[in-house]
Amino acid sequence: MTNALEKLLESFESDHPVVLFLGQDFFRVEESESVLNAFMERLEGKPAQPEAKWRDVLRARNITTADYQWLSERFDRRVPTEGLEKVFDLAWSGVFTTSLDHRIAGLLETRGRLPETVLAADHYSRAPRSKARPAIHYAFGRAIDAERSSPPPKSSIELKRRLSAHTVPLLNRLRETATALGLVVIDGFIPESDWLEIDVLLASVSEQPAPLVLWFGATHTDSEFIEQMVGDGSLVCETRSLAEVLGTSARPLAAETPVFSSAEGTISLPDNRFFNLPPSLRLRVEAVAAVVDDTWTDSPDSSPSQVKELFERFHGDFGGPRSVVEGILRGFAIQRDFENRLFSGTDLLLKRSRDVDSFVILHGQSGTGKSIALARLAMKLRTQLKVPVLFSWGRVPLASELDDFCEAAEESGAPGTVVICDGSHPPDRYIDLTIGLKSKGRRVVVVGSCYRIEDEERIKDQSYIYAPEKLTPAEISSLSDLLVKYGHVSIGNEATQLSGEYFLPLLYRHLTASRRRLAGGMSNEARAAEGTIRIRARNVPRRKTQNNLLAEKLIAAGLGLQSEPIFEDEVGLEESDAAARLIDYVMVAGRLDCAIPVNLLLRSLRKAGGEDFDISQIAFLFQELDLFRWRAGDPEGNSYLVQPRLQLEAELICRKRVADKERELGCLISLISAVRSSSVDEQAEIQFALDVLHKLHRDGPRGKAYQSGYLAIARTLTSLRVEHQVLDARLMLQESAFRRETLFASDKPDQVEPLSDEDRDVILNEAREVVEFALSQIAAKKLRAGRKARQNFSVERASIYGFLAVGLAKRKAKEQDIWSHYQAARTAVQQAISGSAEYHPIDVGLWTPADILREETLSEVHAAELRADILFTLDQASSGILGKEGLLALHTRKLKLASLLENSALSDQAFNELELINPQVAYFLRAREMAAEVLVNSSIDPTSKEVALAYEAVKFLEERFEAIQSDVRSLQLLLQLKWVHLTGKRLFARDRSRIPQERSDQQQIHSIVSDLNAAAGEGARNSYRLLQAALEWLVGDVHSAREQFRDLGHDSDFEDPARVLRRLLLEAPGGLGFTGKIRRQRSEGHWEVQVSGFSGEVDLLTRDFPADDPRPGRDVRSFNIAFNYLGPIADPISRHGDKT
Amino acid sequence: MSFSRAQVAYLQLRRRLTACVSEDVLPDVTIEPPKDPVDELAFLRLVAWSYTVLHETAKLSLGVLRHLPPLRDRSGALLPHVRALRTWTSHNLAFDSKTDIATIRTAIAWFRANCGTGTPSTNTHWSQCFEVLSNDIATLLEHAVRACDAFEDPTDGKGLKEEFERRLGRSWEGFRFDAFVEAACKLLGYSGVDVVPFRNKHLQAWRDVVELSEPDAIDANLTKRVEADVLQHMGEAAPLTGAEFQALLALSTAQEIRACLSAFRGNSAADRKSLLDHIVQVAANEFVPTGEAGER
């Protein structure tokens, strides 16, 4: 077998990126290119010369649009040889071509692939190196696009322009797409014919760290690059074409199995139903999470002879979730006690799929069996409950990326979908995902893994399941049996002696291949790990210089291969050693469970190493050392990531090798500073940076360990943005957040050095500039940011102004300055609260005025207003917008505020004084004081005495309506109390708050809520917008109501879990329900009903009326009208037991 | 009955290809066609007929025509379910093989989509499946007939015919490989190969070599490949390589090596083991008669 073919097959087998470069002559058959000959004949008006070249085309005459149209028709009607078909059948990670033939995409549409074309330098493929969606980069455009943008060149001058504007930038992506570990395969390239000069092509792939280049069909060509690259081993030339080499190979190619299989997509559901995923949907969802279909739970192939080896490999290197599931099916892992709770908790949430808080967080230290537990959960959910499962590892998908899958699953009859994320991310990210999917009404449960949580409130919560480090006696016994079963009798016996040994470390120390050779004490993990590195990395070859043939032979014979130890005994690595840095970088990121995109890693090493950077060392460490893992970051192999074999190992190695925190921070900052937006891996690199940043945060797995580096991190992000144009809203948010965190940390002088006032101001000002710049860029549509990001910026702005105001108050600055900063913070807080169900903006709205109050620097009037704001924010937070998590945090904050709010009642004198200066605040505080008893506990229905008190307060406020009609605080209080007075219940205290049936009552509430929302402007809360829209529908204009619902539905999409909840209910007088007639079907399972007595229509869901068999023209009876953010909806009476 | 549509289309395709390429490009389908009434048997025969057309008689023609409109618009394999249905109906599938399970799944999914159940049992089920499959194959063949229009195109027709003829010329009958096997055996001094079974075992791989090689490299590439396969065969036939025997037994000529290797052919694994032990003992001058194998 030829050297080139061997390398090519090895790369395919080890799943490394392999990129095809196709020259213009790729279609040449038996030395002849019939289309080229015919084209030349057309251009010259005479038969073409026997050896026509593509370069002759541009010499003949200028090409017209009609010529290119003619050429594209020829491309359409030519048939490739079997050899070409074989070439295209290979699983390429991407294709770059100088050909103008648009049919290349068609030729790649085999094996389930969906190729994508890239025509210009400013186009980026959605998936840079996906084997399922290979990108075809047309260096010179396509003939078929002659009339469109990015046309192919029509003259030599246009060719030169195209070359500089598009060809070279596109070719520059070739190297990054292949990565240093991958291959670039050149085929069909004849230098003297092609429009592309060979030196331009080779220049683009030869800069270190470079991939290996295989040139099939190579010809003798005068080029400095060829000589040099062949000399240093980075180019291999093969004179035969790729097709011919493949044809003579005795090794079979796996060209028949699908690169991307939609056929395997069957997901069996309960009651003998099936969910067949459409290929396009599978492809989209598999880019972010694996679909656990029926093939996952098939019995693994049995091979008794290898079972022990498989057992050891399973415990030494988990690989992806699929291999973990396979290991579990083989019985390689014990079931830990907490796994039963994990399963039953998930099952319970599936049954209560309408709950908003449908998430389970599995937390615990690394090495406690979380990954195995999640994989077993996936397996049990599929085999026992037959519920569709999506499994993501590494990153948390966005709700919008999974929504279509969940919807399609439910339409196929699935009881819901479980999304499992094994990534050790902060719980908030899983909660955000749940909220996003719930906002679309999906019956979904999110299960995520997380490092150990210390917060006591959360620990008590049933949604948090703890994976303890210590084994129970029963677990130890099972483990012992398991180890004995697979031939590890001594360890099995050792396990039984334990009274609660760490679980995975035990297996880790004993089972991974070489570790058995190491005698290590029970508590000496770090030394064992480092010792392993020493054993494996004893020798690293010297940098490969330009050896001549003789030198190569001598090296091959074992001479001259002088070794260079990576580790001096007990000394450690030299600072300048690229190999040392590589280990440090991978391990510090691995300690945080973050895999590094390969190009980013090599870029940062090169940046740090400068001239000393030695790619041969790196390659050796990757290939010969069993320390790291390359893995595809997603099921379709789109991004390539480097990570330690086990997170635990990284943790141990870091403790020993990178004990100095500053050095660890230095490594992380180097990695972050190497992120580039011009890279083909832009998204993967930015995602890596975000993952690292989230974990460096004080809420991350290592708590405050990194807080001394927060300012350096923030400034690194700023320099990334300013110097390297990495413009990303999420990173900009972190730029500000880390600066704010710096100040927060400096308030605890026992932990970090305190900051001077000047430094604080500088840092806060930098943060403010970032946020204001980001918001202005978003407004100008120069920076892409979703609603969520915009909200986060609002909160961030609120926090910064809050910090500024509190800082000024602490320094006893001028009241005017403090107040103006406070007002800015308050406005931002209200905007952030309006569309969010999160607690964070509420927290800012509470701590900012509270901290200022504590400083006692403001006048009585302003202090009263601060108290009013605190009470107002507490009222907002108590009226059903927060989830379980938020309520827990609110409770903690309330306790801290209690002392501030004690004895805050206004004396008559104070009221009179305040009424003169700021009547709105005076009336609010007085009314709230009158109704304090009503508002004290929002979780129980008001008593008759409280209803009476509410009425008194309402009367008080209504008599002063003119003064309060633009004050959000008073209007909200009036609305809440009015609702209590009219219905005897609290507004939004639970689902289906009953709307008063009297039209005059409805009109009164409509008027108040309309004023409230108008006063709040952009800060109007979604729930009040719902109330306004519902009442508009009942007593106002139906069309205007529909518009309000449409806006509300749009604004809360993927954001507010309350979106699909039926929060308001109108009951028919008499309790028998409304009647209506079905007018038409809106969509599958959705109908439109005309209700008797109303001008507007309501929606009806088939699933709510299963016995009625809805059809157009049929009558529907016995329903109430409920309202969610999407509009009015028929709500069956019987559902709530009201029907007698 | 829609099967007659498929038959007519096949006949039309044959006429068109005979007219523009060669008369022997599309052979007859000689297996039993399905008959009325439509029942399980008719469906099974339709599956067999469709498979024969797609993967045997029209394989070469469809390989060219699929790149031309209107067949070009179909991506991936042509009617991939036919292969799964044929395997499902004609082979004993193993429940512990992942490939077989995938085939079963594909077949069941196809049945479920087309007759409402994964396991058709009534004549109504079979009839529905028959209609769908016969319509699929008839439409495919009709599209293939329309694709033949490209051969008449004044600009492209010539090149297309050349490619068709090139493929036809590279589609070697099995016997044409026999000469290469005999030559390799002769060169290596190895006479024990039964040429026809040996050729049939490697036929597809050798056809690939012919199809994918440059015209002037076909002989050289094929010779290399056949020699490699003969050598492999020789290696498999004896427990040691010729060189090892040569060293072990101090053999000096090709004849001696051949005789030694041939001695191992036709024996069971146990016999070969005994024979090998015997030779090792001979070489070590420690021969002690131990039975039948030892006396050979």
Side-chain angles (χ1 to χ4, degrees), chain A residues 144-208:
Chain A
I144 201 170
D145 295 320
E147 274 190 312
R148 301 180 199 154
S149 60
S150 310
K154 291 174 181 155
S155 63
S156 301
I157 289 178
E158 282 190 25
L159 176 69
K160 283 175 186 156
R161 279 196 201 117
R162 167 95 198 177
L163 196 70
S164 119
H166 297 288
T167 310
V168 170
L170 283 173
L171 288 175
N172 285 341
R173 293 180 205 169
L174 190 52
R175 187 175 61 92
E176 284 198 335
T177 306
T179 77
L181 193 76
L183 283 184
V184 171
V185 175
I186 302 174
D187 194 37
F189 179 70
I190 300 178
E192 56 271 24
S193 168
D194 209 283
W195 287 359
L196 186 70
E197 299 283 347
I198 185 151
D199 283 352
V200 177
L201 170 61
L202 295 180
S204 70
V205 289
S206 56
E207 191 192 338
Q208 292 294 336

Side-chain angles (χ1 to χ4, degrees), chain A residues 313-327:
Chain A
R313 201 183 304 154
F314 173 79
H315 285 287
D317 178 9
F318 283 165
R322 188 161 185 157
S323 57
V324 183
V325 168
E326 194 170 312

Side-chain angles (χ1 to χ4, degrees), chain A residues 558-605:
Chain A
L559 298 171
L561 187 70
Q562 291 169 15
S563 58
E564 198 174 82
I566 290 186
F567 301 102
E568 292 298 338
D569 258 2
E570 307 299 328
V571 174
L573 293 158
E574 290 173 34
E575 285 295 320
S576 60
D577 191 328
R581 261 187 236 107
L582 169 72
I583 296 174
D584 288 351
Y585 285 2
V586 175
M587 293 301 158
V588 294
R591 184 182 206 181
L592 297 172
D593 208 10
C594 293
I596 312 173
V598 63
N599 285 330
L600 186 151
L601 174 65
L602 294 178
R603 196 181 304 128
S604 54
L605 286 169

Side-chain angles (χ1 to χ4, degrees), chain B residues 270-281:
Chain B
D271 287 342
R272 285 201 292 258
K273 175 80 173 58
S274 308
L275 197 56
L276 180 65
D277 292 345
H278 168 74
I279 292 169
V280 171
Q281 282 176 337

Side-chain angles (χ1 to χ4, degrees), chain A residues 29-30 70 74 76-77 79-83 85-86 103 107 109 240 243-244 247-250 274 276 294-295 298 301 326, chain B residues 63-64 67-68 72 75-76 96 98 101 105 112 153 155-156 160 163 166-167 170 208-209 211-215 217 221 225:
Chain A
V29 180
E30 298 172 9
W70 181 92
R74 304 288 77 72
D76 258 336
R77 293 187 183 176
V79 174
T81 60
E82 298 98 325
E85 287 180 329
K86 280 250 182 328
R103 286 288 302 150
L107 295 170
E109 277 177 9
R240 292 178 300 163
E244 191 173 352
T248 53
S249 160
F274 291 88
N276 280 319
D294 291 353
T295 58
D298 288 344
D301 293 333
E326 194 170 312
Chain B
V64 175
H67 292 286
L68 301 171
R72 197 187 57 202
S75 61
D96 56 355
K98 283 194 172 177
I101 290 173
R105 281 211 179 96
R112 205 175 49 240
D153 186 279
T155 314
D156 305 306
L160 291 174
E163 172 58 20
R166 198 191 65 79
R167 286 192 181 213
R170 298 284 183 97
D208 281 351
V209 175
E211 280 170 4
L212 304 182
S213 296
E214 287 294 320
N221 286 342
R225 182 60 195 270

